[in-house]
């Protein structure tokens, strides 16, 4: 009996110990949680006799009465952002709005007409001289304008005069009084650009409401050749050599500045060259290609290009059956430029070229379409120069030399 009583007592003691162990553990845990929750409030109300620093979490955010605050966050791009901000502040006053104003005839009264804003683009002040300020913009921005207004960054409007424009490079030069012009952009170089370096576009996307808008990207490509169709007949008339960037360029940005990280002008943005069906691709006319055109427009009001006086098309636009039946070309001719018509009294007419002649070479350089012809003439020749033309007539190969005229 004694053993039984002792065993029962031991068992009872163990049960009693287990009964208070669990509540104790739970109480300790609850107490710790309550202390942790109350600690920030005690610190903020100065009820504790010492300072306790509340650590930041991994995001760098600290919780206060107002919730989460990011005052302690650190921007790893502080230096870069500061440089871009300084560059934009410096350059923005030289980027302007260009307003195309056209006369609209009154339908009911033929004698009355009114002027209306036909379009808005951008421009860049690149020069001040003899009381005038000069602005470069796109040809398509001012095309058809009866009046042109330049809108400065402080919204001052100044009437501008068209000095000259060029459809092939999509460039135009304007002139206006310089008394309110405070800043002229610094001209950089596009020849030494590197793919991947930063590029900043400044202009007026979607009109003057968003004047001075800034987008940032990189140089995505150099010397891109983009086909152009000026008369919208479905045939390529020219290939523009441009800079490609992923900085956003939208309608209204045309004629604005593409600058490098130093704030130097490296290109003239052109929305006309860009394709609206794609995103993340913008184009700009390289400043090293644009500068000679700008200088010539200033001096002459136009670009003096050599002129032959023919309407011609590539053989690739002619059914192959016509190569032998109509043009009488031998089999060894694989490409060329056939003449559809010739302007009277032109250099081509004076030299003896005729419709249906097929040009295959200029000064020994092969040509296959009108773009090849224009690129060779515009880059290698001047008005008044001699040009040797190799051509086929009725299946026979011939050469002749013409004196180039001036395109008007």
């Amino acid at each position: 009996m004694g053993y039984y009583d002792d065993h029962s007592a031991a068992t009872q003691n163990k049960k009693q110990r287990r009964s208070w162990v669990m509540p104790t553990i739970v109480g300790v845990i609850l107490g710790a949680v309550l202390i942790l929750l109350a600690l920030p409030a005690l610190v903020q109300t100065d009820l504790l006799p010492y300072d306790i620093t509340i650590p930041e979490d991994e995001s760098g955010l600290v919780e206060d009465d107002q919730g989460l605050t990011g005052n302690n966050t650190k921007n790893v791009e502080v230096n870069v952002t500061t440089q871009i901000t300084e560059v934009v502040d410096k350059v923005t006053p030289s980027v302007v709005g260009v307003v195309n104003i056209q006369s609209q005839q009154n339908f009911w009264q033929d004698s009355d007409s009114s002027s209306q804003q036909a379009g808005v683009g951008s421009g860049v002040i690149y020069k001040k001289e003899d009381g005038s300020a000069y602005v470069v913009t796109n040809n398509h921005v001012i095309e058809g304008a009866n009046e042109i207004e330049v809108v400065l960054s402080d919204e001052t409007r100044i009437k501008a005069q068209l000095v000259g424009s060029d459809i092939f490079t999509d460039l135009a030069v304007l002139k206006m009084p310089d008394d309110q012009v405070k800043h002229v952009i610094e001209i950089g170089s596009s020849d030494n650009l590197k793919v991947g370096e930063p590029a900043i576009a400044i202009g007026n996307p979607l009109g003057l409401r968003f004047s001075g808008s800034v987008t940032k990207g990189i140089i995505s490509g150099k010397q891109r050749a983009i086909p152009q169709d000026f008369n919208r007949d479905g045939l390529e008339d020219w290939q523009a050599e441009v800079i490609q960037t992923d900085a956003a360029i939208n309608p209204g940005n045309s004629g604005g500045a593409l600058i490098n990280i130093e704030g130097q002008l490296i290109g003239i943005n052109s929305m006309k060259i860009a394709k609206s069906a794609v995103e993340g691709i913008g184009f700009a006319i390289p400043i090293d290609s644009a500068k000679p055109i700008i200088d010539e427009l200033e001096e002459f009001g136009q670009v003096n290009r050599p002129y032959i006086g023919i309407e011609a098309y590539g053989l690739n636009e002619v059914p192959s059956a016509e190569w032998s039946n109509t043009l009488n070309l031998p089999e060894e001719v694989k490409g060329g430029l056939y003449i559809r018509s010739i302007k009277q009294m032109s250099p081509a007419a004076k030299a003896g070229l005729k419709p249906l002649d097929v040009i295959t070479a200029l000064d020994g350089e092969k040509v296959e379409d009108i773009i090849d012809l224009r690129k060779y003439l515009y880059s290698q020749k001047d008005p008044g120069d001699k040009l040797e033309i190799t051509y086929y007539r009725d299946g026979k190969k011939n050469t002749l030399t013409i004196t180039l005229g001036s395109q008007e």
Side-chain angles (χ1 to χ4, degrees):
M1 292 295 295
Y3 172 78
Y4 177 80
D5 291 339
D6 292 341
H7 179 73
S8 298
T11 302
Q12 187 175 0
N13 290 336
K14 290 181 180 179
K15 290 180 178 180
Q16 290 175 349
R17 284 197 298 271
R18 284 197 298 267
S19 66
W20 61 261
V21 169
M22 286 303 298
T24 300
I25 294 173
V26 172
V28 170
I29 294 173
L30 290 175
V33 172
L34 291 173
I35 290 173
L36 290 174
L37 294 176
L39 188 58
L42 293 174
V43 172
Q44 292 175 0
T45 55
D46 296 328
L47 293 179
L48 293 181
Y50 49 87
D51 293 333
I52 297 178
T53 301
I54 302 175
E56 298 178 358
D57 65 12
E58 293 180 356
S59 67
L61 299 178
V62 178
E63 187 172 4
D64 58 14
D65 305 352
Q66 309 298 323
L68 293 177
T69 175
N71 291 337
N72 293 330
T73 59
K74 294 182 179 180
N75 188 347
V76 297
E77 294 183 345
V78 168
N79 292 334
V80 175
T81 303
T82 300
Q83 184 177 3
I84 292 174
T85 303
E86 292 174 352
V87 164
V88 170
D89 287 343
K90 172 186 173 183
V91 173
T92 296
S94 63
V95 180
V96 299
V98 177
V99 182
N100 182 325
I101 300 173
Q102 299 184 10
S103 298
Q104 303 292 328
Q105 193 71 29
N106 190 302
F107 180 78
W108 302 106
Q109 298 178 358
D110 293 340
S111 60
D112 293 342
S113 63
S114 60
S115 296
Q116 296 183 2
Q117 179 175 301
V120 176
S122 304
V124 185
I125 304 172
Y126 68 91
K127 179 181 177 181
K128 287 176 65 173
E129 184 178 85
D130 299 331
S132 296
Y134 292 83
V135 176
V136 59
T137 185
N138 287 148
N139 172 72
H140 76 266
V141 170
I142 54 84
E143 194 170 18
N146 299 108
E147 297 180 26
I148 301 172
E149 282 187 344
V150 170
V151 184
L152 303 182
S153 58
D154 62 1
E155 299 185 359
T156 301
R157 289 179 175 251
I158 305 174
K159 284 191 175 181
Q161 170 191 351
L162 176 62
V163 177
S165 62
D166 179 55
I167 189 174
F168 287 97
T169 55
D170 195 25
L171 291 172
V173 172
L174 314 176
K175 183 170 72 172
M176 63 184 182
D178 72 348
D179 51 330
Q180 298 187 69
V181 174
K182 299 178 181 178
H183 187 75
V184 174
I185 202 166
E186 179 182 353
I187 303 295
S189 174
S190 53
D191 285 348
N192 57 7
L193 291 176
K194 295 182 179 179
V195 173
E197 74 171 87
I200 304 167
I202 306 178
N204 309 310
L206 308 180
L208 297 175
R209 295 171 51 194
F210 302 100
S211 63
S213 293
V214 179
T215 55
K216 175 179 174 290
I218 62 171
I219 300 297
S220 305
K222 299 169 55 179
Q223 297 179 333
R224 301 297 200 209
I226 307 299
Q228 301 291 286
D229 178 11
F230 300 130
N231 53 12
R232 299 181 182 179
D233 62 355
L235 302 176
E236 296 178 5
D237 298 306
W238 184 243
Q239 281 188 337
E241 292 189 0
V242 295
I243 301 169
Q244 179 187 336
T245 178
D246 66 347
I249 297 176
N250 297 290
N253 272 120
S254 287
L258 185 70
I259 62 175
N260 59 20
I261 200 66
E262 302 296 330
Q264 299 171 328
L265 182 66
I266 57 174
I268 307 298
N269 299 326
S270 181
M271 183 62 192
K272 185 177 181 181
I273 298 174
K275 303 295 184 182
S276 59
V278 298
E279 296 182 3
I281 298 180
F283 297 106
I285 304 160
I287 193 60
D288 287 329
S289 299
K291 194 62 173 67
I293 303 298
I294 293 171
D295 293 340
E296 198 162 351
L297 290 175
E298 272 189 45
E299 184 175 359
F300 302 109
Q302 64 180 17
V303 178
N304 294 317
R305 292 192 170 94
Y307 165 74
I308 294 180
I310 61 174
E311 179 188 4
Y313 297 88
L315 284 178
N316 55 359
E317 300 168 23
V318 180
S320 56
E322 300 299 321
W323 289 28
S324 57
N325 297 337
T326 303
L327 302 176
N328 298 319
L329 291 175
E331 293 183 359
E332 62 265 22
V333 176
K334 303 300 182 183
L337 194 68
Y338 86 96
I339 299 175
R340 177 176 291 181
S341 64
I342 296 178
K343 293 185 179 180
Q344 293 183 356
M345 303 304 295
S346 66
K350 293 177 181 178
L353 287 174
K354 296 181 179 181
L356 300 184
D357 286 348
V358 176
I359 299 173
T360 56
L362 304 174
D363 290 337
E365 298 285 336
K366 289 183 179 181
V367 292
E368 294 191 356
D369 54 34
I370 194 64
I371 295 176
D372 289 344
L373 173 69
R374 286 172 174 160
K375 288 184 73 172
Y376 183 79
L377 289 181
Y378 298 168
S379 63
Q380 304 295 329
K381 295 292 183 178
D382 292 314
D385 287 352
K386 302 292 185 180
L387 176 69
E388 183 184 83
I389 296 179
T390 302
Y391 66 99
Y392 282 82
R393 178 183 297 168
D394 293 327
K396 295 181 180 180
K397 185 177 181 180
N398 303 278
T399 60
L400 57 78
T401 300
I402 69 173
T403 301
L404 296 172
S406 179
Q407 188 175 26
E408 298 182 3

